[in-house]
Amino acid sequence: AVQLVESGGGLVQPKESMKISCAASGFTFSNAAMYWVRQAPGKGLEWVARIRTKPNNYETSYADSVKGRFTISRDDSKTMVYLQMDNLKTEDTAMYYCTAAPMLNTGNWFTYWGQGTLVTVSS
Amino acid sequence: DIVMTQTPSSQAVSAGEKVTMSCKSSQSLLYNENKKNYLAWYQQKPGQSPKLLIYWASTRESGVPDRFIGSGSGTDFTLTISSVQAEDLAVYYCQQYYNFPLTFGSGTKLEIK
């Protein structure tokens, strides 16, 4: 069965950094584009970042709200994806979901979702 | 950025009834080269992660009940639940993947009377 398990969330102060992780299993990870989508408490969904596959040079894309502060990366050997978050702001407080678009996806929709990890930015 | 507008923001229906919800995009999601609409629908039940229901505006994801029907083209899309069940209590989101940034609608909350 497909599993995406996020970890590393918690409480962090504004302007600090945090790195969250996602462990993937049950599908061919190296063939899947990986994404982070977040949801502020009681709010809707917001796409955050994408990383493509090795044949696509691990190309990355970011939402304007996080560009220059967040970095998505992946380790195909460990089937892991990461989100390094720097200079955090209170408005980054959200549940962060790891999502995947397996090889059969020919578009950027989110087929698989993790349970999320909560990041709270507060002093 | 493509803005996705969902209406209504919430609605309440009785089990067995048909329900429709709308999603409009600020620009066409129809890609002329392949004649496909770059739109997906998700269901998020209380306390759960979102779940993919439909992609390419009308293709049901494997395992999704056939009472969930996606339709529309261009800028106007609809999600229909032909006969609502109690377990359909959820917020429904549309998402465009025509271009980046990927954007979602604000959601339609479905309540069961």
Side-chain angles (χ1 to χ4, degrees):
Chain A
V2 170
Q3 274 200 310
L4 295 171
V5 180
E6 301 93 337
S7 61
L11 177 64
V12 62
Q13 294 198 345
K15 299 185 180 180
E16 291 191 342
S17 298
M18 175 178 278
K19 186 173 185 177
I20 56 177
S21 304
C22 170
S25 61
F27 62 100
T28 306
F29 180 83
S30 60
N31 289 343
M34 300 298 297
Y35 310 76
W36 288 96
V37 173
R38 69 184 180 183
Q39 186 170 36
K43 302 297 184 182
L45 301 169
E46 179 187 19
W47 166 76
V48 173
R50 176 199 69 170
I51 186 164
R52 298 182 74 182
T53 58
K54 184 176 181 181
N56 293 295
N57 298 313
Y58 298 123
E59 179 189 9
T60 58
S61 304
Y62 298 93
D64 285 346
S65 58
V66 307
K67 199 172 293 182
R69 299 188 300 121
F70 288 14
T71 303
I72 188 172
S73 60
R74 64 190 293 162
D75 185 333
D76 289 350
S77 67
K78 296 181 179 178
T79 64
M80 295 286 294
V81 64
Y82 307 97
L83 187 67
Q84 174 68 42
M85 302 180 289
D86 298 321
N87 189 21
L88 280 159
K89 304 177 180 180
T90 55
E91 53 263 40
D92 295 319
T93 294
M95 183 71 78
Y96 283 73
Y97 294 104
C98 173
T99 75
M103 184 178 66
L104 291 179
N105 275 37
T106 52
N108 290 290
W109 66 83
F110 311 112
T111 300
Y112 306 136
W113 294 71
Q115 287 304 301
T117 188
L118 181 62
V119 173
T120 303
V121 184
S122 174
S123 55
Chain B
D1 298 4
I2 298 177
V3 176
M4 306 299 291
T5 302
Q6 288 188 247
T7 56
S9 57
S10 67
Q11 59 182 317
V13 299
S14 300
E17 288 187 355
K18 175 182 173 180
V19 65
T20 61
M21 56 193 77
S22 171
C23 173
K24 296 184 187 294
S25 56
S26 61
Q27 67 182 73
S28 177
L29 304 183
L30 178 62
Y31 190 47
N32 285 326
E33 283 197 14
N34 59 12
K35 301 302 182 189
K36 291 187 173 184
N37 287 281
Y38 283 54
L39 182 104
W41 288 94
Y42 301 86
Q43 174 193 62
Q44 186 175 31
K45 295 183 177 180
Q48 295 186 18
S49 305
K51 171 189 172 183
L52 174 68
L53 294 177
I54 286 167
Y55 54 95
W56 296 133
S58 61
T59 302
R60 220 175 284 114
E61 171 70 346
S62 175
V64 172
D66 59 8
R67 65 179 181 273
F68 292 92
I69 303 162
S71 61
S73 184
T75 61
D76 292 347
F77 301 90
T78 300
L79 177 67
T80 300
I81 308 175
S82 59
S83 177
V84 170
Q85 306 299 303
E87 65 260 31
D88 299 335
L89 166 71
V91 179
Y92 294 85
Y93 294 95
C94 59
Q95 175 235 335
Q96 68 80 18
Y97 50 94
Y98 187 88
N99 62 18
F100 282 81
L102 307 175
T103 49
F104 291 89
S106 56
T108 292
K109 184 176 184 179
L110 181 64
E111 298 171 318
I112 312 299
K113 290 179 186 176

